[in-house]
Amino acid sequence: MSRVTNRPPSDATLRRLERASGSLATQAVARMDEDLPWFRAMPADQRSWVTLVAQAGIASLVEWCRSPGRPPRLTGEVFGAAPRELVRAVALKQTVDLIKVTVEVVEERVASVAAPGEEEDLRLAVLQFSREVAFATAHVYASFAESRGAWDARLEALVVDALVRGERSDELSGRAAALGWAAGTLALVVVGATPSGVDDPHGPVRRTARGLRCDVLVGVHAEQLVVVLGGTGDLEVVAERISDEFGDGPVVTGPVVDGLGRAAVSAAAALAGLRAARAWPEAPRPVAADALLAERALDGDPLARAALQEQVAAPLRSAGGGVLETVQAVLNSGGNLEASARAIFVHPNTVRYRLKRAAELTGLSATDPRGSWTLQVALVLAALDRDRSLWH
């Protein structure tokens, strides 16, 4: 029965191990190909990286055995051949499987590689070395995760900042794709105050959004928390769920747009809505930016003014049949249908019919407080624009 010792392998054993290192690496890769289906599916260049690392690992075993007392520098020695590429291509669990296979192959060849009587010495050295390699592997992946996390945070901040500044380009989609953003999805921007007393306002928003299977980018712009949601589901429902993660005050959602390349449109509307939301203290939370068109237009938002013209004033002018006249009469009478009917000499049922037609065209009801307010602002601004055009 062989006795286990703590002696390092002799020079004779190490020379034999050196000579066999090439064939051992080849056998290890062949075993990986046989036992690991995901390894077989890897592209040729990535398989070659693994081969390089296996060869470097066995060569490092020889050097480690020659100086067992020296501090291990295995991160550079073993993974120096292809650290970044390997970490990107192979998950940590898969790398552990690769190390396990390589160690098993070396252990199986101990009897033929070691000098007579030194089989247990070499076997023990392999086991100790495999532990050191495991620690080195963890260090490589931890370092990569830390640097990748810092890079992702900077890239995410750049994307969100570009949207806030109104940038619209295909580059945004490419940058977001590097952060795991799915291509061809809808997008929606949500803005509100950054929560006070929270060290990381990004975390709760991310967890909530991802729990709802939604892509998400989060940034802090000045004192505002800006969230970009993406996916194929109901983004407005997700926005309602994450609104609890904002600070005090209004939370405004921009319109849903087709892809991240147009998310700047949603961001512009949401930010304009947030600036104007103080004019509607009873607004729901979150509130859609389109529900604040009147306040936004009065606050000087040209997009809101154009939207009121296009979506409200123009359809009413084009409707004919007394629709515009009836809406104006109802607004002037404070919503009294009978008084409106008398003012324009029609039956009250005619007023109701025309108001229904106006609601179909604009989505606004002249008898609803918010609807009548928005209609009134839209028509006043349209009249001012028309008068201004006459003067010029």
Side-chain angles (χ1 to χ4, degrees):
M1 184 177 193
S2 300
R3 183 171 59 87
V4 177
T5 71
N6 287 322
R7 296 177 306 179
S10 67
D11 288 341
T13 293
L14 295 180
R15 285 194 297 271
R16 292 165 66 121
L17 181 59
E18 266 185 314
R19 288 194 295 271
S21 61
S23 64
L24 288 173
T26 301
Q27 290 178 38
V29 172
R31 179 76 60 83
M32 295 170 196
D33 190 73
E34 180 181 338
D35 294 350
L36 305 174
W38 59 263
F39 180 77
R40 289 196 298 272
M42 289 177 70
D45 58 339
Q46 294 179 7
R47 289 162 59 95
S48 69
W49 297 336
V50 174
T51 303
L52 288 173
V53 172
Q55 291 172 340
I58 296 172
S60 186
L61 168 62
V62 175
E63 296 303 317
W64 185 81
C65 289
R66 283 187 174 139
S67 306
R70 71 177 173 87
R73 296 189 299 272
L74 300 179
T75 299
E77 293 175 358
V78 178
F79 295 98
R84 188 171 299 276
E85 290 84 352
L86 181 66
V87 174
R88 285 178 174 170
V90 185
L92 175 59
K93 182 181 183 303
Q94 294 173 331
T95 302
V96 171
D97 290 339
L98 298 177
I99 294 171
K100 183 172 177 288
V101 168
T102 304
V103 170
E104 287 175 352
V105 169
V106 175
E107 281 186 311
E108 290 171 4
R109 293 287 305 276
V110 161
S112 60
V113 171
E118 295 188 15
E119 293 84 356
E120 293 303 323
D121 295 334
L122 180 57
R123 183 172 287 109
L124 181 60
V126 170
L127 291 175
Q128 292 174 333
F129 180 76
S130 66
R131 182 186 63 184
E132 299 293 347
V133 170
F135 284 123
T137 303
H139 176 74
V140 167
Y141 276 84
S143 298
F144 180 81
E146 183 177 354
S147 62
R148 177 61 188 266
W151 169 251
D152 284 357
R154 289 194 295 271
L155 184 57
E156 183 177 31
L158 286 172
V159 172
V160 173
D161 184 64
L163 292 176
V164 170
R165 288 185 288 103
E167 183 177 323
R168 308 177 193 180
S169 69
D170 293 336
E171 276 187 38
L172 288 175
S173 300
R175 293 174 191 169
L179 296 169
W181 186 280
T185 61
L186 302 175
L188 174 149
V189 176
V190 191
V191 297
T194 303
S196 58
V198 178
D199 293 334
D200 178 23
H202 303 67
V205 172
R206 276 202 194 90
R207 286 191 294 272
T208 302
R210 288 174 178 168
L212 296 170
R213 302 181 181 277
C214 187
D215 290 336
V216 60
L217 300 172
V218 188
V220 175
H221 184 76
E223 296 182 356
Q224 298 162 350
L225 186 62
V226 181
V227 179
V228 187
L229 301 174
T232 55
D234 192 336
L235 298 183
E236 292 171 342
V237 171
V238 180
E240 186 172 352
R241 293 282 295 275
I242 68 166
S243 64
D244 292 338
E245 309 302 341
F246 286 79
D248 295 336
V251 175
V252 182
T253 62
V256 176
V257 293
D258 185 17
L260 192 68
R262 299 193 67 247
V265 175
S266 185
L271 290 167
L274 187 63
R275 288 190 296 271
R278 63 183 180 274
W280 185 15
E282 301 81 15
R285 177 184 157 118
V287 59
D290 284 353
L292 290 159
L293 283 176
E295 287 81 4
R296 288 167 52 194
L298 294 176
D299 193 44
D301 178 12
L303 294 177
R305 192 160 182 152
L308 288 175
Q309 170 66 27
E310 180 182 343
Q311 299 171 21
V312 180
L316 290 178
R317 278 202 312 270
S318 303
V323 171
L324 176 57
E325 178 190 21
T326 302
V327 169
Q328 289 173 324
V330 172
L331 294 176
N332 292 335
S333 70
N336 188 315
L337 301 190
E338 286 73 16
S340 303
R342 289 194 298 271
I344 57 176
F345 307 105
V346 296
H347 192 278
N349 285 342
T350 302
V351 173
R352 294 185 180 91
Y353 171 78
R354 291 175 180 177
L355 290 184
K356 180 180 178 183
R357 176 63 178 152
E360 291 171 350
L361 291 169
T362 65
L364 300 169
S365 171
T367 58
D368 171 77
R370 284 296 301 176
S372 64
W373 160 247
T374 304
L375 285 165
Q376 195 160 12
V377 171
L379 294 175
V380 167
L381 292 176
L384 292 174
D385 288 341
R386 189 164 56 253
D387 290 345
R388 190 176 295 111
S389 65
L390 292 176
W391 280 96
H392 292 82

